[in-house]
């Protein structure tokens, strides 16, 4: 079962807060925990809720695509909710100003620390991002087969660190 979900109608003006707790995407999909294999999530904020990440696990999800307005900032929660993914794609609509690159560095440091203490996928077959900055900010330590960057010319200075961590067998633009 593949689900494409946009949460904009459920979100409030506060990041990560939903109008009704049951309207959080992971709650909405709870009855499909055993049959869900792919989730494509589009929302203003990220697919984050620390309380849900420890409680809801989707054991058969192999593909996760998260597209938000902001830099991906909580991949450790995704690891707990989707422990068996092999394909991860992220995207954000953030601009490419120097401040945003600095924010990506800050988010990456926080993500690396959390992933180190809470766990991360050992290997991903495919990691894709709208731009280098989003993949950089994830801070993943996972070995990756293929890394695909849609707009690799944006934030090119971050590419060496993405490649060094992922150690891909294939890098695709």
């Amino acid at each position: 079962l593949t689900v494409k979900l946009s949460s904009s109608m459920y979100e409030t003006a506060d990041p990560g807060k939903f109008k009704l707790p049951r309207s959080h995407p992971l709650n909405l999909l709870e009855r499909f925990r055993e049959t869900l294999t792919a989730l494509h999530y589009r929302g203003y904020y990220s697919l984050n809720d620390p309380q849900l990440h420890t409680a809801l696990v989707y054991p058969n999800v192999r593909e996760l695509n998260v597209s938000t307005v902001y830099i991906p900032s909580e991949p450790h929660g995704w690891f707990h909710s989707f422990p068996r993914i092999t394909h991860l794609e992220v995207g954000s609509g953030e601009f490419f100003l120097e401040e945003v690159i600095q924010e990506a560095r800050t988010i990456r440091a926080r993500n690396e620390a959390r992933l180190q203490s809470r766990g991360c996928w050992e290997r991903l077959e495919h990691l894709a991002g709208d731009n280098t900055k989003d993949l950089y900010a994830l801070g993943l330590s996972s070995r990756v087969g293929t890394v695909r960057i849609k707009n690799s010319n944006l934030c090119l200075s971050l590419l060496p660190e993405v490649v060094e961590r992922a150690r891909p067998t294939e890098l695709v633009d």
Side-chain angles (χ1 to χ4, degrees), residues 76-94:
H76 65 279
W78 303 343
F79 171 71
H80 290 288
S81 292
F82 309 103
R84 294 187 180 153
I85 66 168
T86 57
H87 291 69
L88 176 62
E89 184 167 342
V90 296
S92 77
E94 292 233 82

Side-chain angles (χ1 to χ4, degrees), residues 5-8 11 41-46 66-70 91:
L5 182 65
S6 174
S7 71
S8 58
E11 295 173 333
Y41 171 81
R42 302 281 180 270
Y44 193 75
Y45 300 111
S46 189
V66 178
S67 181
T68 63
V69 173
Y70 298 106

Side-chain angles (χ1 to χ4, degrees), residues 101 104-105 108-109 112 132 135-137 139-141 155-168:
I101 292 175
R105 292 184 195 286
R108 178 185 175 95
E112 287 175 331
T132 309
L135 297 183
Y136 173 84
L140 299 179
S141 59
C155 302
L156 194 57
S157 63
L158 303 175
L159 184 60
E161 291 179 70
V162 170
V163 172
E164 182 180 316
R165 286 303 278 296
R167 303 173 313 276

Side-chain angles (χ1 to χ4, degrees), residues 53-67:
H53 289 315
T54 57
L56 295 175
V57 176
Y58 294 80
N60 296 311
V61 171
R62 299 293 186 264
E63 180 183 328
L64 178 62
N65 182 317
V66 178
S67 181

Side-chain angles (χ1 to χ4, degrees), residues 83-117:
R84 294 187 180 153
I85 66 168
T86 57
H87 291 69
L88 176 62
E89 184 167 342
V90 296
S92 77
E94 292 233 82
F95 297 104
F96 305 101
L97 305 172
E98 188 57 40
E99 309 87 71
V100 174
I101 292 175
Q102 188 54 46
E103 181 185 6
R105 292 184 195 286
T106 302
I107 290 171
R108 178 185 175 95
R110 185 179 63 226
N111 284 343
E112 287 175 331
R114 288 179 177 165
L115 288 165
Q116 186 174 15
S117 67

